[in-house]
Amino acid sequence: MSINRRQFLRRAGMVTALGIGSSFVITGFRKKDAAASGYTKAAKDMPAKRWAMVVDMSKFKSEADMEKVIEACHKLHNVPKFPNTKDEIKWIWKDDYHHTFAGGHNEYLDEHVMHSPFMVTCNHCENPPCVRACPTEATFQRPDGIVAMDFHRCIGCRFCMAACPFGARSFNFKDPRPFIEEVSTEYPTRTPGVVEKCNFCYERLADGLMPACVEKSNGGLIFGDLDDPNSEVRKIVSTKLTIRRKPELGTQPSVYYLVGGGEHA
Amino acid sequence: MLEKALSGSKRYWIWVTLLLAIIAVGFVAYMNQFNNGLGVTGMSRDVSWGLYIAQFTFLVGVAASAVMLVLPYYLHDFKKFGKMVILGEFLAIPAVIMCMLFIVVDLGQPMRIMNVILHPSPHSVMFYDMIVLCGYLLINLVVGWTTLGAERKGAPSPKWVKPIIYLSIPWAVSIHTVTAFLYAGLPGRHLWLSAIMAARFLASAFAAGPAILILLCFIVKKVSKFDPDPGVGAIQSLVKIVRYAMIANVFFYILELFTAFYSNIPEYSAPLRYIFFGMDGHYSLVPIMWTAVVLAFLGIAMLVFPSTRMNKATLIIGLLSIIIANWIDKGMILIVAGFVPNSFERVIEYAPTLNEILVTLAVYSIGMLLVTILYKVAISVREEKAN
Amino acid sequence: MYKGGKIIASLIIFAALFTIPFFYNMGKVNAGPDVALDTPAIQQLSDKQCVESPEFMRANHMKLLNQWREEAVRNGQTVYINSQGKEYPISLQDTCLKCHANGSASKVALSNPASSTTGVSNPAINESPEFCASCHDYSAVKPKCWSCHFEPKEAAK
């Protein structure tokens, strides 16, 4: 044999590459499976251009009213309760005025106002930095404005958590299942190692239902299509004074906080 | 050429065994993390990146620093670096591999990593980071191996590597720039939202990277017959690069401090106030940061004065100071404090767990093992030529 | 070639070792799974038809499930129109599990995929002969659906 080792390796490599390459070609030419079928939206599906929420804290009379809302969401979506805040997962929660609208500290603000509670959740921004950051499009923006998560695709890099300026995202540091008190069959649980957050209940919108939190809020959370001039959210946002969290960052949050509350359209 | 790494002195094998032992321990720790989730680390909902991503950031700099030898040698025909260039390239390869490993161990779902390629997202900086890191690894492997192989045969490097060598120069800059863009483009993380982030990264990289390389050269000289700097002053030239890069790095940091504090915008200065003075009763990073400050200035001083710069003992102290100062800044505080205070202006601190530290040490050991093997090959080739 | 004989001999030994399982099992009959189609759950249904023909489902159910996932999660298309033009909601629980339900009455606790070293522990696959188990065990394919999705029975308690 007059070939040296280098030539031998080179030829072996070429044969391997040829084999792998041709197997790709063969599978490429194979007929695609043919299920003459299609997909459509559910009949009850509620269409919208931009889902948005108005939070009217004047309608929440007590702690219990807020807990009811949080409970409804977290129970429905199988959000676990971890004893350790380090692993905490939350989709909707409450925080005080001072921290929710961080940045504009006013030292003369009345203690009562400063510590008055606000409901906080994912803002479903129009320009979501989390979607921009995601390297796999596991988090993406739907045509109706909802910033959704595809738990199947998330690799758990947590770039979205660094990108979100609102602290809306949680990561499954541990297996959530042992920490779910009451399991809901309406929504799957999550696998460890993926990021999750509020999804504006898109699974309920597809069934023609309002988000779970809105349903339990006694009118404190108003939900609708901001693009529809006749929707309640649009009427409130266009005629009343509302504020949003960190508007200066240009993400255009879709959660508005009604100042003063009271009667609205 | 790889067979050169299979024969060595007793000391060589003790060192390799030690590294393998640390890797084995870290592997067990990683299996624990793999099976139980990232809950075994100190990371939390608020500080969602920790030691792993910080090491990644630091090591991208080490990898990029090879350009500080390649550029003078190939572009300016700076012959003094002739013997050292290969060591720079062979430091870059393990550094990039460590970067990749730190990304993998940080993932919540590492088995899905191919999703980054299956669903490419050109709007994500992570996508570009993957491209530049893989490219840089490939470039250095090709260049390092080919030039060393040619040297072994006593022939000049083949012509086709020249363009790849030139490409490696902007590419080295790109890996650290893109890594800086991971952080510098995020709204609401004020410590990172800085236009000079990439410049700072490059400055600190060109200080810490060559400093590590000089120390490695000292070790090489001690354990082998090969002298990377046979009286030509290559090391002193590199010391000058380290010095100016470190001065630039400190200068850039001061620029950050000025803008944050003089503008008096609370959000901008909050993470810096937390780092330097503590906040709301949380001080865990304060002593560490001030250590870095002291070491940074000590290191610069050691490298400025000719008497301390020329003395090997004080030079080593200076270089170590600079490496540690940069590691504290970039390999720990920059990433962690980017999340503090959180988006609700609450201070939630982070501390790595033992499990996390063991995994980190194992990744570093893998890197050191690769450095050892590659340097062994390079040194053996050189020793062979010398005989 | 330097040490050519040894290299080629080693390669042949390697190839032989590598293909032992194949040759060992060659020609042996391995009984396939026996899947009963007339389970009580299916008997109770008025329409005893899957979303597509059994032949199609046997060959393509994994591709169909992947398509369903993409359409429902990513495109908000939650209804599947099959090749006959019939519509089905895209749902594991409300569509697939209506027939491929857990046959045994034993209640299954929520599995903990993290504590399993083999990847995923899988109550549905392990315990329901009518669902994935029979075929998937046979072909040693472990889908990961059940680390998140679950059957209605578990949660109904």
Side-chain angles (χ1 to χ4, degrees), chain A residues 3 5 8 35-41 137 140 150 152 175 177 184-185 189 191, chain C residues 1-2 56 67-69 73-74 77-81 83 93 111-112 146 148 150 155:
Chain A
I3 57 169
R5 188 185 297 173
F8 174 76
S37 52
Y39 294 86
T40 183
K41 286 194 183 300
E137 277 162 53
F140 57 99
D150 184 346
H152 307 98
D175 180 27
R177 283 196 165 181
S184 142
T185 53
T189 61
T191 186
Chain C
M1 194 161 64
Y2 179 63
F56 178 87
Q67 271 181 22
W68 277 27
R69 175 179 82 190
V73 176
R74 303 190 70 86
Q77 308 283 79
T78 51
V79 173
Y80 174 69
I81 307 167
S83 45
Q93 281 159 30
S111 69
N112 182 346
W146 311 108
C148 299
F150 35 61

mmCIF file of all heavy atoms in Angstrom, chain A residues 3 5 8 35-41 137 140 150 152 175 177 184-185 189 191, chain C residues 1-2 56 67-69 73-74 77-81 83 93 111-112 146 148 150 155:
data_model
loop_
_atom_site.group_PDB
_atom_site.id
_atom_site.type_symbol
_atom_site.label_atom_id
_atom_site.label_comp_id
_atom_site.label_asym_id
_atom_site.label_seq_id
_atom_site.Cartn_x
_atom_site.Cartn_y
_atom_site.Cartn_z
ATOM 1 N N ILE A 3 -0.262 4.413 0.196
ATOM 2 C CA ILE A 3 -0.830 5.665 0.700
ATOM 3 C C ILE A 3 -0.328 5.904 2.111
ATOM 4 O O ILE A 3 -0.128 4.975 2.883
ATOM 5 C CB ILE A 3 -2.378 5.673 0.683
ATOM 6 C CG1 ILE A 3 -2.965 4.494 1.489
ATOM 7 C CG2 ILE A 3 -2.888 5.689 -0.735
ATOM 8 C CD1 ILE A 3 -4.447 4.624 1.699
ATOM 9 N N ARG A 5 -0.767 7.903 5.943
ATOM 10 C CA ARG A 5 -1.897 8.006 6.863
ATOM 11 C C ARG A 5 -2.778 9.209 6.532
ATOM 12 O O ARG A 5 -4.002 9.150 6.577
ATOM 13 C CB ARG A 5 -1.384 8.120 8.299
ATOM 14 C CG ARG A 5 -2.494 8.036 9.312
ATOM 15 C CD ARG A 5 -2.011 8.268 10.698
ATOM 16 N NE ARG A 5 -1.066 7.238 11.117
ATOM 17 C CZ ARG A 5 -0.387 7.297 12.264
ATOM 18 N NH1 ARG A 5 -0.539 8.325 13.062
ATOM 19 N NH2 ARG A 5 0.462 6.356 12.586
ATOM 20 N N PHE A 8 -4.969 8.435 3.727
ATOM 21 C CA PHE A 8 -5.985 7.478 4.153
ATOM 22 C C PHE A 8 -7.118 8.195 4.885
ATOM 23 O O PHE A 8 -8.294 8.014 4.585
ATOM 24 C CB PHE A 8 -5.337 6.431 5.058
ATOM 25 C CG PHE A 8 -6.303 5.474 5.667
ATOM 26 C CD1 PHE A 8 -6.848 4.439 4.900
ATOM 27 C CD2 PHE A 8 -6.694 5.593 6.996
ATOM 28 C CE1 PHE A 8 -7.742 3.544 5.459
ATOM 29 C CE2 PHE A 8 -7.595 4.705 7.554
ATOM 30 C CZ PHE A 8 -8.118 3.677 6.782
ATOM 31 N N ALA A 35 -51.321 15.222 4.428
ATOM 32 C CA ALA A 35 -52.617 15.299 5.065
ATOM 33 C C ALA A 35 -53.260 16.557 4.516
ATOM 34 O O ALA A 35 -52.877 17.657 4.867
ATOM 35 C CB ALA A 35 -52.478 15.372 6.575
ATOM 36 N N ALA A 36 -54.217 16.354 3.611
ATOM 37 C CA ALA A 36 -54.860 17.510 3.003
ATOM 38 C C ALA A 36 -55.700 18.185 4.073
ATOM 39 O O ALA A 36 -56.846 17.832 4.292
ATOM 40 C CB ALA A 36 -55.710 17.072 1.827
ATOM 41 N N SER A 37 -55.079 19.095 4.784
ATOM 42 C CA SER A 37 -55.786 19.634 5.930
ATOM 43 C C SER A 37 -55.395 21.078 6.148
ATOM 44 O O SER A 37 -54.526 21.617 5.471
ATOM 45 C CB SER A 37 -55.436 18.816 7.164
ATOM 46 O OG SER A 37 -54.029 18.736 7.256
ATOM 47 N N GLY A 38 -56.025 21.701 7.111
ATOM 48 C CA GLY A 38 -55.697 23.094 7.376
ATOM 49 C C GLY A 38 -55.951 23.443 8.828
ATOM 50 O O GLY A 38 -56.311 22.586 9.639
ATOM 51 N N TYR A 39 -55.726 24.679 9.109
ATOM 52 C CA TYR A 39 -55.902 25.155 10.478
ATOM 53 C C TYR A 39 -56.730 26.422 10.456
ATOM 54 O O TYR A 39 -56.704 27.187 9.497
ATOM 55 C CB TYR A 39 -54.554 25.437 11.122
ATOM 56 C CG TYR A 39 -53.734 24.188 11.310
ATOM 57 C CD1 TYR A 39 -52.921 23.708 10.297
ATOM 58 C CD2 TYR A 39 -53.810 23.476 12.494
ATOM 59 C CE1 TYR A 39 -52.195 22.558 10.456
ATOM 60 C CE2 TYR A 39 -53.084 22.312 12.671
ATOM 61 C CZ TYR A 39 -52.275 21.852 11.657
ATOM 62 O OH TYR A 39 -51.562 20.709 11.821
ATOM 63 N N THR A 40 -57.484 26.635 11.501
ATOM 64 C CA THR A 40 -58.259 27.855 11.567
ATOM 65 C C THR A 40 -58.406 28.261 13.025
ATOM 66 O O THR A 40 -58.048 27.512 13.928
ATOM 67 C CB THR A 40 -59.654 27.658 10.910
ATOM 68 O OG1 THR A 40 -60.336 28.889 10.932
ATOM 69 C CG2 THR A 40 -60.473 26.615 11.643
ATOM 70 N N LYS A 41 -58.925 29.464 13.222
ATOM 71 C CA LYS A 41 -59.139 29.913 14.593
ATOM 72 C C LYS A 41 -60.454 29.333 15.096
ATOM 73 O O LYS A 41 -61.329 28.998 14.301
ATOM 74 C CB LYS A 41 -59.207 31.440 14.625
ATOM 75 C CG LYS A 41 -57.853 32.074 14.435
ATOM 76 C CD LYS A 41 -57.899 33.538 14.806
ATOM 77 C CE LYS A 41 -56.564 34.221 14.551
ATOM 78 N NZ LYS A 41 -55.440 33.661 15.307
ATOM 79 N N GLU A 137 -36.701 32.754 19.347
ATOM 80 C CA GLU A 137 -38.095 33.151 19.159
ATOM 81 C C GLU A 137 -39.044 32.310 19.988
ATOM 82 O O GLU A 137 -40.185 32.048 19.594
ATOM 83 C CB GLU A 137 -38.474 33.135 17.674
ATOM 84 C CG GLU A 137 -38.032 34.449 17.017
ATOM 85 C CD GLU A 137 -37.958 34.390 15.511
ATOM 86 O OE1 GLU A 137 -38.952 33.990 14.926
ATOM 87 O OE2 GLU A 137 -36.905 34.750 14.966
ATOM 88 N N PHE A 140 -42.427 35.614 21.653
ATOM 89 C CA PHE A 140 -42.747 36.264 20.389
ATOM 90 C C PHE A 140 -44.009 37.097 20.568
ATOM 91 O O PHE A 140 -44.728 36.956 21.562
ATOM 92 C CB PHE A 140 -42.963 35.225 19.289
ATOM 93 C CG PHE A 140 -44.046 34.224 19.611
ATOM 94 C CD1 PHE A 140 -45.329 34.377 19.101
ATOM 95 C CD2 PHE A 140 -43.788 33.150 20.438
ATOM 96 C CE1 PHE A 140 -46.330 33.475 19.425
ATOM 97 C CE2 PHE A 140 -44.784 32.242 20.763
ATOM 98 C CZ PHE A 140 -46.062 32.402 20.260
ATOM 99 N N ASP A 150 -43.400 30.315 24.021
ATOM 100 C CA ASP A 150 -43.507 28.936 23.542
ATOM 101 C C ASP A 150 -42.572 28.120 24.434
ATOM 102 O O ASP A 150 -41.365 28.101 24.236
ATOM 103 C CB ASP A 150 -43.078 28.869 22.069
ATOM 104 C CG ASP A 150 -43.249 27.480 21.483
ATOM 105 O OD1 ASP A 150 -43.437 26.534 22.260
ATOM 106 O OD2 ASP A 150 -43.188 27.355 20.244
ATOM 107 N N HIS A 152 -42.086 25.128 24.642
ATOM 108 C CA HIS A 152 -41.414 24.004 23.996
ATOM 109 C C HIS A 152 -40.059 24.417 23.445
ATOM 110 O O HIS A 152 -39.192 23.600 23.231
ATOM 111 C CB HIS A 152 -42.251 23.467 22.833
ATOM 112 C CG HIS A 152 -43.658 23.139 23.205
ATOM 113 N ND1 HIS A 152 -44.708 23.997 22.973
ATOM 114 C CD2 HIS A 152 -44.192 22.055 23.798
ATOM 115 C CE1 HIS A 152 -45.821 23.446 23.405
ATOM 116 N NE2 HIS A 152 -45.546 22.267 23.907
ATOM 117 N N ASP A 175 -38.254 22.131 39.561
ATOM 118 C CA ASP A 175 -39.444 21.514 39.010
ATOM 119 C C ASP A 175 -40.667 22.073 39.738
ATOM 120 O O ASP A 175 -40.767 21.976 40.958
ATOM 121 C CB ASP A 175 -39.369 19.997 39.200
ATOM 122 C CG ASP A 175 -40.604 19.320 38.619
ATOM 123 O OD1 ASP A 175 -41.201 19.900 37.684
ATOM 124 O OD2 ASP A 175 -40.973 18.241 39.098
ATOM 125 N N ARG A 177 -43.835 21.154 39.652
ATOM 126 C CA ARG A 177 -44.983 20.300 39.965
ATOM 127 C C ARG A 177 -45.196 20.013 41.454
ATOM 128 O O ARG A 177 -46.322 20.110 41.931
ATOM 129 C CB ARG A 177 -44.904 19.006 39.159
ATOM 130 C CG ARG A 177 -45.315 19.243 37.712
ATOM 131 C CD ARG A 177 -45.629 17.969 36.997
ATOM 132 N NE ARG A 177 -46.346 18.266 35.763
ATOM 133 C CZ ARG A 177 -46.782 17.345 34.932
ATOM 134 N NH1 ARG A 177 -46.589 16.077 35.186
ATOM 135 N NH2 ARG A 177 -47.437 17.694 33.840
ATOM 136 N N SER A 184 -54.645 22.542 38.004
ATOM 137 C CA SER A 184 -55.703 22.903 37.067
ATOM 138 C C SER A 184 -55.430 22.186 35.750
ATOM 139 O O SER A 184 -54.300 22.173 35.265
ATOM 140 C CB SER A 184 -55.692 24.418 36.864
ATOM 141 O OG SER A 184 -55.974 24.732 35.525
ATOM 142 N N THR A 185 -56.463 21.607 35.175
ATOM 143 C CA THR A 185 -56.260 20.892 33.908
ATOM 144 C C THR A 185 -56.410 21.822 32.720
ATOM 145 O O THR A 185 -56.238 21.428 31.580
ATOM 146 C CB THR A 185 -57.274 19.758 33.747
ATOM 147 O OG1 THR A 185 -58.574 20.306 33.923
ATOM 148 C CG2 THR A 185 -57.015 18.670 34.744
ATOM 149 N N THR A 189 -48.523 22.429 33.052
ATOM 150 C CA THR A 189 -47.472 22.937 33.948
ATOM 151 C C THR A 189 -46.245 23.194 33.094
ATOM 152 O O THR A 189 -46.290 23.039 31.876
ATOM 153 C CB THR A 189 -47.146 21.913 35.042
ATOM 154 O OG1 THR A 189 -46.675 20.730 34.422
ATOM 155 C CG2 THR A 189 -48.361 21.593 35.876
ATOM 156 N N THR A 191 -41.923 22.731 32.431
ATOM 157 C CA THR A 191 -40.765 21.883 32.694
ATOM 158 C C THR A 191 -39.696 22.756 33.360
ATOM 159 O O THR A 191 -39.668 23.964 33.122
ATOM 160 C CB THR A 191 -40.280 21.285 31.359
ATOM 161 O OG1 THR A 191 -39.258 20.355 31.627
ATOM 162 C CG2 THR A 191 -39.744 22.328 30.414
ATOM 163 N N MET C 1 1.468 2.784 4.239
ATOM 164 C CA MET C 1 1.002 3.531 5.404
ATOM 165 C C MET C 1 1.677 2.992 6.654
ATOM 166 O O MET C 1 1.740 1.779 6.863
ATOM 167 C CB MET C 1 -0.515 3.417 5.513
ATOM 168 C CG MET C 1 -1.122 4.400 6.449
ATOM 169 S SD MET C 1 -2.901 4.636 6.180
ATOM 170 C CE MET C 1 -3.541 3.036 6.567
ATOM 171 N N TYR C 2 2.105 3.916 7.499
ATOM 172 C CA TYR C 2 2.776 3.556 8.739
ATOM 173 C C TYR C 2 1.809 2.795 9.642
ATOM 174 O O TYR C 2 0.719 3.262 9.937
ATOM 175 C CB TYR C 2 3.254 4.848 9.392
ATOM 176 C CG TYR C 2 3.955 4.674 10.712
ATOM 177 C CD1 TYR C 2 5.155 3.968 10.785
ATOM 178 C CD2 TYR C 2 3.429 5.216 11.866
ATOM 179 C CE1 TYR C 2 5.796 3.822 11.985
ATOM 180 C CE2 TYR C 2 4.074 5.077 13.077
ATOM 181 C CZ TYR C 2 5.255 4.374 13.137
ATOM 182 O OH TYR C 2 5.904 4.239 14.336
ATOM 183 N N PHE C 56 -52.563 6.951 8.582
ATOM 184 C CA PHE C 56 -51.881 8.246 8.614
ATOM 185 C C PHE C 56 -51.350 8.529 10.017
ATOM 186 O O PHE C 56 -50.216 8.960 10.193
ATOM 187 C CB PHE C 56 -52.834 9.363 8.182
ATOM 188 C CG PHE C 56 -52.196 10.730 8.241
ATOM 189 C CD1 PHE C 56 -51.474 11.207 7.167
ATOM 190 C CD2 PHE C 56 -52.305 11.524 9.381
ATOM 191 C CE1 PHE C 56 -50.872 12.451 7.224
ATOM 192 C CE2 PHE C 56 -51.704 12.763 9.441
ATOM 193 C CZ PHE C 56 -50.986 13.229 8.351
ATOM 194 N N GLN C 67 -47.004 19.951 14.298
ATOM 195 C CA GLN C 67 -47.736 20.989 13.556
ATOM 196 C C GLN C 67 -48.786 21.630 14.445
ATOM 197 O O GLN C 67 -48.930 22.848 14.460
ATOM 198 C CB GLN C 67 -48.437 20.366 12.351
ATOM 199 C CG GLN C 67 -47.603 20.324 11.101
ATOM 200 C CD GLN C 67 -48.396 19.711 9.949
ATOM 201 O OE1 GLN C 67 -49.625 19.698 9.949
ATOM 202 N NE2 GLN C 67 -47.686 19.187 8.971
ATOM 203 N N TRP C 68 -49.501 20.800 15.168
ATOM 204 C CA TRP C 68 -50.539 21.317 16.075
ATOM 205 C C TRP C 68 -49.937 22.296 17.067
ATOM 206 O O TRP C 68 -50.487 23.353 17.329
ATOM 207 C CB TRP C 68 -51.166 20.151 16.856
ATOM 208 C CG TRP C 68 -52.240 19.422 16.116
ATOM 209 C CD1 TRP C 68 -52.367 19.319 14.766
ATOM 210 C CD2 TRP C 68 -53.326 18.699 16.698
ATOM 211 N NE1 TRP C 68 -53.463 18.562 14.462
ATOM 212 C CE2 TRP C 68 -54.064 18.163 15.625
ATOM 213 C CE3 TRP C 68 -53.726 18.426 18.001
ATOM 214 C CZ2 TRP C 68 -55.214 17.381 15.835
ATOM 215 C CZ3 TRP C 68 -54.850 17.652 18.202
ATOM 216 C CH2 TRP C 68 -55.592 17.145 17.131
ATOM 217 N N ARG C 69 -48.807 21.892 17.609
ATOM 218 C CA ARG C 69 -48.147 22.725 18.611
ATOM 219 C C ARG C 69 -47.787 24.081 18.016
ATOM 220 O O ARG C 69 -48.075 25.125 18.582
ATOM 221 C CB ARG C 69 -46.891 22.000 19.086
ATOM 222 C CG ARG C 69 -46.056 22.789 20.035
ATOM 223 C CD ARG C 69 -44.868 21.980 20.470
ATOM 224 N NE ARG C 69 -43.810 22.039 19.480
ATOM 225 C CZ ARG C 69 -42.727 21.255 19.527
ATOM 226 N NH1 ARG C 69 -42.604 20.340 20.451
ATOM 227 N NH2 ARG C 69 -41.799 21.388 18.608
ATOM 228 N N VAL C 73 -49.837 27.208 19.467
ATOM 229 C CA VAL C 73 -49.075 28.077 20.370
ATOM 230 C C VAL C 73 -48.599 29.328 19.655
ATOM 231 O O VAL C 73 -48.711 30.433 20.167
ATOM 232 C CB VAL C 73 -47.858 27.322 20.967
ATOM 233 C CG1 VAL C 73 -47.026 28.245 21.826
ATOM 234 C CG2 VAL C 73 -48.325 26.131 21.777
ATOM 235 N N ARG C 74 -48.099 29.168 18.451
ATOM 236 C CA ARG C 74 -47.432 30.293 17.809
ATOM 237 C C ARG C 74 -48.341 31.094 16.887
ATOM 238 O O ARG C 74 -48.153 32.290 16.712
ATOM 239 C CB ARG C 74 -46.193 29.819 17.033
ATOM 240 C CG ARG C 74 -45.205 29.072 17.913
ATOM 241 C CD ARG C 74 -43.913 28.841 17.204
ATOM 242 N NE ARG C 74 -43.181 30.075 17.012
ATOM 243 C CZ ARG C 74 -42.364 30.604 17.911
ATOM 244 N NH1 ARG C 74 -42.156 29.995 19.039
ATOM 245 N NH2 ARG C 74 -41.750 31.725 17.668
ATOM 246 N N GLN C 77 -53.910 29.351 15.893
ATOM 247 C CA GLN C 77 -54.883 28.568 15.128
ATOM 248 C C GLN C 77 -55.226 27.349 15.960
ATOM 249 O O GLN C 77 -54.492 26.373 15.958
ATOM 250 C CB GLN C 77 -54.285 28.121 13.788
ATOM 251 C CG GLN C 77 -53.678 29.241 12.974
ATOM 252 C CD GLN C 77 -54.717 30.092 12.285
ATOM 253 O OE1 GLN C 77 -55.336 30.945 12.910
ATOM 254 N NE2 GLN C 77 -54.921 29.869 11.015
ATOM 255 N N THR C 78 -56.340 27.382 16.665
ATOM 256 C CA THR C 78 -56.599 26.336 17.646
ATOM 257 C C THR C 78 -57.551 25.263 17.135
ATOM 258 O O THR C 78 -57.999 24.418 17.890
ATOM 259 C CB THR C 78 -57.164 26.945 18.941
ATOM 260 O OG1 THR C 78 -58.259 27.792 18.589
ATOM 261 C CG2 THR C 78 -56.107 27.753 19.650
ATOM 262 N N VAL C 79 -57.903 25.337 15.858
ATOM 263 C CA VAL C 79 -58.795 24.320 15.291
ATOM 264 C C VAL C 79 -58.098 23.656 14.116
ATOM 265 O O VAL C 79 -57.514 24.333 13.269
ATOM 266 C CB VAL C 79 -60.134 24.953 14.846
ATOM 267 C CG1 VAL C 79 -60.979 23.933 14.099
ATOM 268 C CG2 VAL C 79 -60.882 25.497 16.042
ATOM 269 N N TYR C 80 -58.187 22.327 14.097
ATOM 270 C CA TYR C 80 -57.582 21.555 13.017
ATOM 271 C C TYR C 80 -58.682 21.093 12.063
ATOM 272 O O TYR C 80 -59.703 20.578 12.493
ATOM 273 C CB TYR C 80 -56.853 20.347 13.618
ATOM 274 C CG TYR C 80 -56.303 19.390 12.580
ATOM 275 C CD1 TYR C 80 -55.243 19.764 11.764
ATOM 276 C CD2 TYR C 80 -56.829 18.110 12.439
ATOM 277 C CE1 TYR C 80 -54.728 18.894 10.823
ATOM 278 C CE2 TYR C 80 -56.321 17.234 11.502
ATOM 279 C CZ TYR C 80 -55.258 17.624 10.696
ATOM 280 O OH TYR C 80 -54.753 16.760 9.768
ATOM 281 N N ILE C 81 -58.475 21.313 10.774
ATOM 282 C CA ILE C 81 -59.422 20.816 9.770
ATOM 283 C C ILE C 81 -58.760 19.616 9.117
ATOM 284 O O ILE C 81 -57.716 19.745 8.492
ATOM 285 C CB ILE C 81 -59.728 21.891 8.710
ATOM 286 C CG1 ILE C 81 -60.169 23.188 9.396
ATOM 287 C CG2 ILE C 81 -60.794 21.404 7.743
ATOM 288 C CD1 ILE C 81 -60.183 24.379 8.485
ATOM 289 N N SER C 83 -58.431 15.982 6.723
ATOM 290 C CA SER C 83 -58.506 15.798 5.273
ATOM 291 C C SER C 83 -59.940 15.622 4.789
ATOM 292 O O SER C 83 -60.218 15.787 3.602
ATOM 293 C CB SER C 83 -57.646 14.605 4.867
ATOM 294 O OG SER C 83 -57.875 13.531 5.747
ATOM 295 N N GLN C 93 -55.811 17.202 25.687
ATOM 296 C CA GLN C 93 -56.766 16.715 26.665
ATOM 297 C C GLN C 93 -58.166 16.551 26.076
ATOM 298 O O GLN C 93 -58.861 15.599 26.383
ATOM 299 C CB GLN C 93 -56.816 17.666 27.852
ATOM 300 C CG GLN C 93 -55.647 17.447 28.787
ATOM 301 C CD GLN C 93 -55.386 18.641 29.648
ATOM 302 O OE1 GLN C 93 -56.301 19.381 29.976
ATOM 303 N NE2 GLN C 93 -54.144 18.854 30.006
ATOM 304 N N SER C 111 -45.812 13.591 37.885
ATOM 305 C CA SER C 111 -44.453 13.077 37.762
ATOM 306 C C SER C 111 -43.467 14.192 38.006
ATOM 307 O O SER C 111 -43.781 15.369 37.848
ATOM 308 C CB SER C 111 -44.234 12.515 36.374
ATOM 309 O OG SER C 111 -44.232 13.561 35.443
ATOM 310 N N ASN C 112 -42.310 13.814 38.396
ATOM 311 C CA ASN C 112 -41.266 14.804 38.595
ATOM 312 C C ASN C 112 -40.132 14.521 37.619
ATOM 313 O O ASN C 112 -39.280 13.683 37.877
ATOM 314 C CB ASN C 112 -40.769 14.723 40.031
ATOM 315 C CG ASN C 112 -39.724 15.768 40.307
ATOM 316 O OD1 ASN C 112 -39.186 16.366 39.366
ATOM 317 N ND2 ASN C 112 -39.425 15.997 41.560
ATOM 318 N N TRP C 146 -45.281 14.725 28.754
ATOM 319 C CA TRP C 146 -45.924 14.636 30.072
ATOM 320 C C TRP C 146 -45.148 15.297 31.179
ATOM 321 O O TRP C 146 -45.548 15.230 32.334
ATOM 322 C CB TRP C 146 -46.213 13.169 30.375
ATOM 323 C CG TRP C 146 -46.879 12.559 29.203
ATOM 324 C CD1 TRP C 146 -46.343 11.673 28.324
ATOM 325 C CD2 TRP C 146 -48.180 12.875 28.708
ATOM 326 N NE1 TRP C 146 -47.236 11.404 27.318
ATOM 327 C CE2 TRP C 146 -48.372 12.138 27.527
ATOM 328 C CE3 TRP C 146 -49.202 13.730 29.143
ATOM 329 C CZ2 TRP C 146 -49.537 12.206 26.767
ATOM 330 C CZ3 TRP C 146 -50.363 13.799 28.393
ATOM 331 C CH2 TRP C 146 -50.526 13.049 27.226
ATOM 332 N N CYS C 148 -45.064 18.363 31.183
ATOM 333 C CA CYS C 148 -45.893 19.560 31.343
ATOM 334 C C CYS C 148 -47.383 19.244 31.191
ATOM 335 O O CYS C 148 -48.196 19.621 32.013
ATOM 336 C CB CYS C 148 -45.516 20.622 30.324
ATOM 337 S SG CYS C 148 -43.833 21.185 30.469
ATOM 338 N N PHE C 150 -50.839 16.986 31.059
ATOM 339 C CA PHE C 150 -51.261 15.799 31.803
ATOM 340 C C PHE C 150 -52.668 15.400 31.430
ATOM 341 O O PHE C 150 -53.401 16.135 30.777
ATOM 342 C CB PHE C 150 -51.146 15.979 33.307
ATOM 343 C CG PHE C 150 -51.452 17.349 33.793
ATOM 344 C CD1 PHE C 150 -52.702 17.906 33.591
ATOM 345 C CD2 PHE C 150 -50.475 18.095 34.430
ATOM 346 C CE1 PHE C 150 -52.974 19.180 34.035
ATOM 347 C CE2 PHE C 150 -50.762 19.369 34.867
ATOM 348 C CZ PHE C 150 -51.998 19.915 34.667
ATOM 349 N N ALA C 155 -55.866 15.159 37.520
ATOM 350 C CA ALA C 155 -56.188 16.420 38.165
ATOM 351 C C ALA C 155 -57.606 16.451 38.692
ATOM 352 O O ALA C 155 -57.958 17.310 39.484
ATOM 353 C CB ALA C 155 -55.995 17.548 37.179
#
